[in-house]
Structures are given as structure tokens and as C-alpha cells.
Amino acid sequence: MEQHVFEESKKLLAKHEEMEEELAAKIVSKLSSVIEPRYVSRDWAIRVAYSKDSSGSGSHDVNEYRIPDIVVLPGSAEDIVHVCKVASEHNVPVHVMSTNVNTAAMAIALFRGIMIDLKRMNRVLEVDRDGLTLTVEPFVSYARAQAILEPYNLRINVPGAPGSASVVGNNLYAGFKFFSGRFGYGAMETVGLEMVLPNGEIVRTGSLVNEPDLKTKSREPGVRNEPELDGGRVSVQAWGPDLTGFPHQSVGGNGIVTKMCVKVYRRPEVIKILCHGFGSIENSVRVVTEAAEREIGFGGLIGVPEDNALAAQHSNKDVERVEATIKSKLKALMTGIKVMTKGRKYKDRESYQEVFKGFLALQGIKYVNLLFLMGTERKVKLDEKRFQDVLENKELNTEKIRDATDYQKHFFWPYSPDADPESVYILMKNSGMEDYRYDWLIRGGKMLEYNEITARLMRKKGGLLFKSGRVAPSRVQECIDLFATTLEEFYPEAVKEHLWGLMILPGAGPHFACVEFVVQIDPTSQREKDLSSKALREFTIRALNQGFYFFNHPKLEREVLERETMPKLWGLTKKIRDAFGATRLAPY
Amino acid sequence: MTLEEKQSREGLLDAALSCVHCGLCYHTLPSLTESERFSDTCPAGLYFGFDAYYSPGRNELARAILRGEYPLKESKAIEEIIFSCTTCGACEATCRYVNDTNVLPVHVTEGIRALLVEQGVGPLPSQKKFAESVKKVDNPYGESSERNMWIEDQSRRDKLESDVFYFVGCTTGYRYQDIAKATTTVLETTDTDYSVSSKEICCGSPLIRTGQLEDVERLVRENVKVIQESGAKTVIFSCAGCYRTVVKDWPRILGEDLPFETIHVTQFMAEKMDSGELELNEPMDMKIAYHDPCHLGRHMFPNAVYDEPRKVIDSIPGAKRITLDREMDATLCCGSGGGVKAGLPEYAEYIAKLRVSEARNKGADTFVTACPFCVRGLEDGAKKEASESGDKPLEVIELTELVRRAIGGK
């Protein structure tokens, strides 16, 4: 039974011929009978836009872009019911996307079929100031959600994605947030939802069971109403069994979520971003784990390759040489921060970023830690002292710790380097949303840089391999060691000749830390590609067997799944899906 | 970049592939707007809905076109998608805020338009008339009458060795002569030695924006010759579209810097107010919202003209300037740019209506802008908005005309 799921998935993935014209015309006609014809399209120029997401590639194979056969823009759950029924009738896969900010090609129509683009479902429906919830449709981004909450002095827990990411989409895919250490991850913050099951049934769960009339708002393009206030929502699972978790991580396969009620929080007294430099992983992990344990923050750690020191030695003399050095030696890439040097004398952003990294390396800083703290004045203050103690105790110079406000003036700024940091900061500060906007911009920068690099390298047929996963905070070092030894065993060149970077994000959620490894390979060498691929595959299996949850490239994931690491879970899901007639949808 | 380079497939592909689909351009940055309700910035995206109409999707479409992934002729939607972009640059501005990126949506859209036109796809039927008219009579309106006859002081026409050459532009010269007259009032009030020319021709903007590049170089070179022959060292513009084209496009087409200085009339007025040569004394009881023309703002990056028009409005006694939710880099386009007003009038009117509603929502009674094309779009939007709301249409007025009133002119 379990094995069947994966066999089915394999067959489906392999079969991706374009839909026959006759069938497509029939489906378009049926869809257009309920949904306005202008929102249904079979035209390739419309469809091709759905061939790429933030993963940097259009499908698992970078040389191939898969596009849906038909695209539809539903305006309501009822429209989606109709799409599901038509799809089911013709045995056609259905894919769903909203903001398309996805780094794993999960919003791509890998199986072709019908793409449901949820952009018209863009309403912020309700803010419950007493129940502390926000009810939104899928095409509502974190940026918009936070903008709505600002006047009420509320705050949504924002993820490590750009502000454009969908609240619904992010929460459905576990949603790892900056303050998950305190509030939990996406699934835990979902209070209720409305979903269309694959058989076309509408189900409302949790606090949306008794749905008030939220349909009165305009869906006219570009026109938005103020949200309703105070609908009297209740917490998740307050009323017996709850199917709220059913669509989680199914990427639309178990049901298409059309409304979601999520937790929001009263604005804390303090939200701070601190930057730390560290000479060792141990110290860095200590500090961020402490933040996680105290439920006051989140830390991101970014490795600074030691070889950058070499580049830095030339930084004041010869920019060309620095660039050459960087190109030949420093392929491991630091993600997550944008750098602005005072002088702006370097040719382009890449070169001064690398020089900046070299500057850090020269000072003995191997890891840069961005620490996001929130809480009461007293609590944050106390913990800052704790961090100070940790830092003073070790080889670190306290001068290397800077408050973000100070740090950005001196070192980097997440905006464009052409922007005047001071004035932009003042602008944000005066807006009264500086904390939110500041971290949003960092996120925007991070996502862009990360993907720009990926996309650029992918275009050259290869390049970076990423591995990210979740582990218990106390086992971060263990996981790093496992990665290092596996890499040493299967792909020794990676350690000796090629730099490998890592980014660990401990304290993400009460139960896990997020660990991310980045391995640079020579895109021209098939041998390296094979070795690194083998190493990562083996690492994934070892990690899963040791209780670390790693997810990444679907091809690898499938292999891991086939080794019976998770088939029980998926087998159970299959049973539930069968019960709801979900077999016609894409398998994940 | 020369026009040839601009059209190079490699350059366009590189720009299109640089988009990482972060999606930040779907809405404006929260730091740039006052209210979430007014966070939509992409006119085509918000109206048509499919991802192809937004910048990220359009970049993928550009990729498919450039790589020849699908036969152009098999798409019925391609013309509408590519030519419905108002090239307002809102997506580009947002992208620029979060990353110094190579993603250049306006550049890609204009480049793809040119490529498509070459291959016989597009422009939209009424946009084709621009090029036909320009070919025949050197203006997109098909007007055959002599240029700039509206000027009261005829000695200004073709006057040689004046300090300032007033480049009137086709829309102002043929359709909005009140703006031209108000501009000359400003010039005369400040004792400026200026001239207009009977030989001025289309600046090329409507053709460049719609990918019809055949006649562009000729227009540019002839205009430069006319300006040089006049002996003027500075050229002043009242049309934001002409200003953007001359400052940004002409040097690329010529392959060299312009042989004259350029200034927009809003900058000129602000300067003259600083020096005390222009005083606005006539009190006006108005609640004014100012609409930033894309061609004066985002397109002029990094020298956007945002402060000067506001300074002028703020100097009018009695007038109260109201801040809109979307201003400056976050401005919602009036819907008329990029040939859309001619090509897809219903959609252009819808966007203009949204923009007018925003001003109305903020309590404005007058909508001021600094571009004749925006005036045209917003006037239609105001009528539409009024017909739906039952209110009196919002007054739409060009800034120079407002200034003419404020200095005591009618």
C-alpha cells in the first residue's frame, strides 16, 4: 500500500505530456461556465509565467520548464469547488499557487494539468483584537498582514521568507518564523481554516467552523475594504476533533485552503536585532540556543570562509586582484547579509561583499550571527547581559558586538548600496514600523541574494547544492559533525579543496533548530556532481535515521522515502486522501 | 546603452533571468505606503490577474519569447500581455529598494515589444497609428497643422539665440495647449528669454514605449539639430514623457551626451521661487493631491523629480496638500503610460478611476499632476469615478495651469 504511493508518484512525475487540445478545450469550456472566462486561460503566453518560482529553476531538471495546461484564477471557494470537480471528472492533476515564493519548485505544475492561481483571493477578512487572530485569504502577504495589524498594535510572527510570502502558504508548509522559539511554527499558529477538498467539498475547521459572513467584501480588482473586527474567534482545537492539520505540508494535495485564521500577538515592548561575530561554532550555538531556550529570540548564523582573509589582504590595494582571488578561491557563498562598505569604492556589490567578508575573517570572525530578540525591556536586557558574559569569557572582542542600529551604519545595510542608510533608517523609524520593516528588508535581501546566486549557478548547469533540515537545538553540533564526516567520507574534495559554508538557525521553534548546509561544486565536473550528490543523499538518509528531519530536493526526498523512513506517515495520509477522494490530485 | 544593445537578446534574457520571483513587486513596500488598502502598484497585474501580467511572470514570458520556446503566432494573449504594461516602473522601483538588481522590467518590456513588432506581433491596432502618423506628419496624433501656432507672442516662434528652448511636445502642443500657454506664462513672469520652434517634432516617446523603433533615430537627430540651430543652451519641458525620453533615451540613441542642458518646468518653477523671481500670491482654497508622473519620478531614477512639484504646491497660499497613500516611488500609475491609453482604453480608465478614488478617499478636491498625458488619463478616471459615485468629478489640473492661477493669471 505504502509503496504504491511512491510508485504512483513516480509514474505521474514521468508522465507530463501536454494535454490534448480537445480535452483542454472541453475543460476550459466547463471551467468558464462558472468562472468568468477572462479568468480561465489555455494560452501559452499566460501559462509560461508559471514555469518558475523562487527555487531558481522551473522544475527539478534545470533545463526543462514545465508549465500547466490550463490556468484558472478563482474568485471564491465555490469557484475552486468547481475546478476540483471538473479536474476530478477528467482525471487531471491540479496545482495551486498564490505568491509563488517557494524555493523548492512546489508551486510549479510538475504534472501539468490545471494551475489554480489564487491571486484574486486577496482579502484580509478579519482582525480579532480580543481573540488575537487574523483571518486572510491565500494571496495576502506577510507585509500586507502586518500593515493591517499595525494600527491595532498587533504583530504577526513573520517567517524567514520575503515579506511577499503568503501567510496561508507559509503556515501550510510548517512556516518557520523569526519568533517560532516562542510562538511555534506555522502549523501551530493556525487557528482554523476553510479548505476545498479534492472531491469538491468545503470544510471549515477550528475557529472558522462558525464562519461569519465574510463574503461581503469587494473582489473588484484593486479595491479593498477594511477588515471586519472582533469576530470572537477561539483557539485551535477548542471544540473537539480538528482537521486543521490535514492540509499541512500537502502543498495543495489534501485540500486547497481558501481562508485561514492565524494567531497574532500583542506587540512586545522590545524588538531588537543584534549582530555578533564569533570565532567558533560552539560559542555561537551557545548564544542562540540561549535565546531560544528563553523564548526571546531567534538567531541566524552565517559562516565566513577563512580564505576570505586572503582577499581582504588585498582589499585596500587592488580591487581587481581581490576579485580574481575571490573568483578562484571563494566560491562558498555567504547568504543572508548584504554588505555596504563606507567607501563604496568597489566595482560591484559582489566584490565589496567578498571584501567585507575578508575583513571579518581577518579579525578572526568566522561566523556572523544575526540575533533577533523580542520581549519586555527587562527580559531582553537581562539576556543581553548573559550574552555579554558568554562573549567576554571567550576569544571574542566585545567591540565586535553591535546593536543593529549601530552596526548597519558601520558595516552593512540591507537596502541597495546606493541608498543612504541613515535617511532610510530614519524614514523607517519615523514610520513607527522600523522593526518590522527592517527585518522584512533583511529577509527580502536574503531571499534575493540566495536565489540570485542559485539561479546564476543553475544557469551554468550546476553549482551549489543545498541541504537544510531540522534538528533539536541541543543536537546542532552533532548534526554539523555528521555532515562533516559524511562529506569527508563521500566527497573529500569538498572539505579539502572546496569551501563549504553552513548556516544554522538554532532556536527556530520550541522543538527544533534549522540547519542549512551549502556545498559548492565545480559545475563542469561530472565526477564532482556525482560525488556531492551521493554525499548529500547519504547524509540525508543518515540524518533521517538519526532523528534529524531533512527535506530538500524532491528527487532525494523520494529516495529517502522509499527507504521507509517516512512511509507510515504518507501511507496514513493516503488513506485519508482516499476517504476524501483525493487520489486525482498531485501526490504532494 | 544604444538602441541596438537595448534590443539585444542576450541583454534582455539576462535581465529577465535575473528575476528570482521573490514577489515583492506584487505590492508596494509597506514603508512606502500609508495604508495596506492601497498597496497594489502593478496596474496590469491588478486588472488582469494572471501572473504573466505581473513583472515576475512577464519575465518568464520574455524568457520563453527570447528562447523561442513556443510559436508566437499560437498565442492570442501575447499582444495584450506585453502591450498592457504601462511601463510605469513601479515593480522596478520596488525591486531597486530591496536589492540592487539587474532585473529591469521596463527595459525588458520595451525590448520585448520591439522584438515582437519586428516579428509582426503587435503593437495594438491604435498604437500602430502612432507610428504611421509619425512617419507622415512627425506627430502621433496625425495633426498636419503647423507647430506651436498657439503662442500669443509669435516672435517667440523660431527665435534664435534665446536662453531657453521650450520643447512643447505633441500632446501639449496639439491637445493641451492651455498647459503650453501656462508654461509660457511662467517663463514670461520670470523674464526668461525663451523660444519655441515650428520645426520641433515628436520626441520619439510613443514609439519607444510601444516598440516601434524604425523612425526613432531620425526623430531624435532632427530634434537635436533643431535645438542646436536655435542656439539655446537649455531645453525646458512641460511634458514628463518628453522630458524622460530626451534625458534618458536620447543620449543612448545618439551614443553621446546631449549637447544642451535639460530642465522640467516643475524644477524651473521651484528654482525661480527660491530666487524670488516667481511668487505665488493668489490665495486658493483647495485640497490638493499631487500625482507623480512615472516619467518624472521612477523613470528618472536616481534623479526623480519629487520634491519640486510639491514645493510649488506648498507655496500656494491657502492650498492644502494632501498626502496620498501611494506617492513618489509607490505611485499607482494613472494607467495611460506605455501606449496603454490608446491601446486598451477601458483598462486605462479603470486604473485612472482607482487612482482618483484614492485621492477622493483622502479628502482631496483637486488632483494636480505635471504631465499632459496623466491629466488626460486622470480626467477620464475622474469622470468614471464620478459617474459611479454620483459625486461631482474631481478637478484634474496640470501644475503649470495651477501656478498660472496662483500668480494671478486665469
Side-chain angles (χ1 to χ4, degrees), chain B residues 47 129 131 201 219 403:
Chain B
Y47 186 78
K129 288 182 190 160
I201 56 175
L219 298 175
V403 167

Side-chain angles (χ1 to χ4, degrees), chain A residues 38 43-44 50-51 54 65 67 101 119 144 148 164 220-221 224 226 338 349 415 437 440 448 452, chain B residues 20-24 29-30 36-37 39-40 46-47 51 63 70-71 75-77 97 99-100 350 353:
Chain A
R38 64 176 286 208
D43 197 299
W44 72 260
Y50 299 88
S51 61
S54 291
Y65 291 94
I67 68 170
V101 185
K119 284 199 181 59
R144 279 186 56 210
I148 280 282
S164 50
E220 211 179 325
R224 297 214 185 97
E226 296 289 349
K338 290 187 159 223
R349 193 185 63 175
Y415 265 144
R437 284 165 190 178
W440 183 45
L448 272 153
E452 242 178 49
Chain B
V20 296
H21 291 247
C22 73
L24 288 165
L29 296 173
E36 177 278 340
R37 279 181 65 194
S39 58
D40 282 317
L46 79 86
Y47 186 78
D51 212 42
R63 178 210 82 215
Y70 297 89
S75 170
K76 287 180 188 161
Y97 264 87
N99 193 39
D100 50 335
Y350 186 87
K353 183 197 83 176

Side-chain angles (χ1 to χ4, degrees), chain A residues 281-331:
Chain A
I281 290 179
E282 289 82 355
N283 277 342
S284 163
V285 172
R286 275 182 67 187
V287 170
V288 287
T289 307
E290 174 117 11
E293 282 171 2
R294 287 165 173 267
E295 298 185 357
I296 57 162
F298 156 93
L301 171 66
I302 297 137
V304 180
E306 276 181 80
D307 278 12
N308 280 3
L310 180 66
Q313 284 167 7
H314 304 294
S315 63
N316 294 324
K317 300 171 193 168
D318 186 350
V319 172
E320 293 292 333
R321 196 171 163 194
V322 169
E323 284 183 289
T325 312
I326 289 157
K327 278 174 189 162
S328 63
K329 286 239 169 204
L330 307 175
K331 288 182 181 173

Side-chain angles (χ1 to χ4, degrees), chain A residues 124 127 134 136 140-152 154-156 158 163 165-167 262 264 433 436, chain B residues 30 36:
Chain A
V124 179
V127 176
L134 172 75
V136 293
V140 173
S141 65
Y142 276 94
R144 279 186 56 210
Q146 184 57 37
I148 280 282
L149 293 170
E150 278 300 316
Y152 309 114
L154 297 173
R155 189 184 163 90
I156 194 164
V158 290
S166 157
V167 172
V262 298
V264 295
M433 282 174 67
Y436 171 68
Chain B
E36 177 278 340

Side-chain angles (χ1 to χ4, degrees), chain B residues 304-318:
Chain B
V305 184
Y306 288 142
D307 297 337
E308 293 88 339
R310 288 175 169 76
K311 184 177 176 179
V312 173
I313 293 168
D314 291 345
S315 306
I316 299 171

Side-chain angles (χ1 to χ4, degrees), chain B residues 11 13 25 41 47 156 184 187 203 235 268 274 294 318 327 357 369:
Chain B
L13 190 59
C25 56
T41 46
Y47 186 78
R156 299 280 186 184
T184 57
L187 292 167
C203 67
V235 182
F268 178 84
D274 278 345
C294 308
E327 290 214 338
S357 306
T369 188

Side-chain angles (χ1 to χ4, degrees), chain A residues 18 38-41 43-46 48-54 65 67 71-73 97-101 112 117 119 124 139 141 143-144 147-148 162-165 220-226 338 349 352 414-418 427-428 433 436-437 440-441 444-445 447-448 451-452 455 459, chain B residues 13-14 16-33 35-40 46-54 56-58 60-61 63-65 67 69-78 81 95-103 301 326 350 353-354 388:
Chain A
E18 276 221 53
R38 64 176 286 208
Y39 294 128
V40 181
S41 182
D43 197 299
W44 72 260
I46 297 282
V48 80
Y50 299 88
S51 61
K52 201 166 105 176
D53 64 6
S54 291
Y65 291 94
I67 68 170
V71 182
V72 58
L73 287 167
M97 73 156 253
S98 56
T99 59
N100 212 15
V101 185
R112 298 195 182 268
D117 181 349
K119 284 199 181 59
V124 179
F139 192 54
S141 65
R144 279 186 56 210
I148 280 282
S164 50
E220 211 179 325
V223 177
R224 297 214 185 97
N225 306 105
E226 296 289 349
K338 290 187 159 223
R349 193 185 63 175
Y352 63 70
Y415 265 144
S416 153
D418 296 326
L427 174 83
M428 295 200 304
M433 282 174 67
Y436 171 68
R437 284 165 190 178
W440 183 45
L441 289 164
M447 179 57 83
L448 272 153
N451 284 287
E452 242 178 49
R459 253 181 272 154
Chain B
L13 190 59
D14 194 55
L17 288 177
S18 295
C19 174
V20 296
H21 291 247
C22 73
L24 288 165
C25 56
Y26 288 135
H27 301 105
T28 190
L29 296 173
S31 52
L32 297 179
T33 181
S35 152
E36 177 278 340
R37 279 181 65 194
F38 299 100
S39 58
D40 282 317
L46 79 86
Y47 186 78
F48 295 99
F50 290 109
D51 212 42
Y53 291 86
Y54 287 98
R58 197 191 308 260
E60 295 318 313
L61 175 56
R63 178 210 82 215
I65 292 169
R67 285 182 173 165
E69 290 175 22
Y70 297 89
L72 293 178
K73 300 287 180 193
E74 282 183 15
S75 170
K76 287 180 188 161
I78 197 165
I81 299 170
C95 201
R96 209 157 43 214
Y97 264 87
V98 291
N99 193 39
D100 50 335
T101 170
N102 295 325
V103 186
F301 176 81
R326 288 170 284 203
Y350 186 87
K353 183 197 83 176
L354 287 181
E388 288 176 12

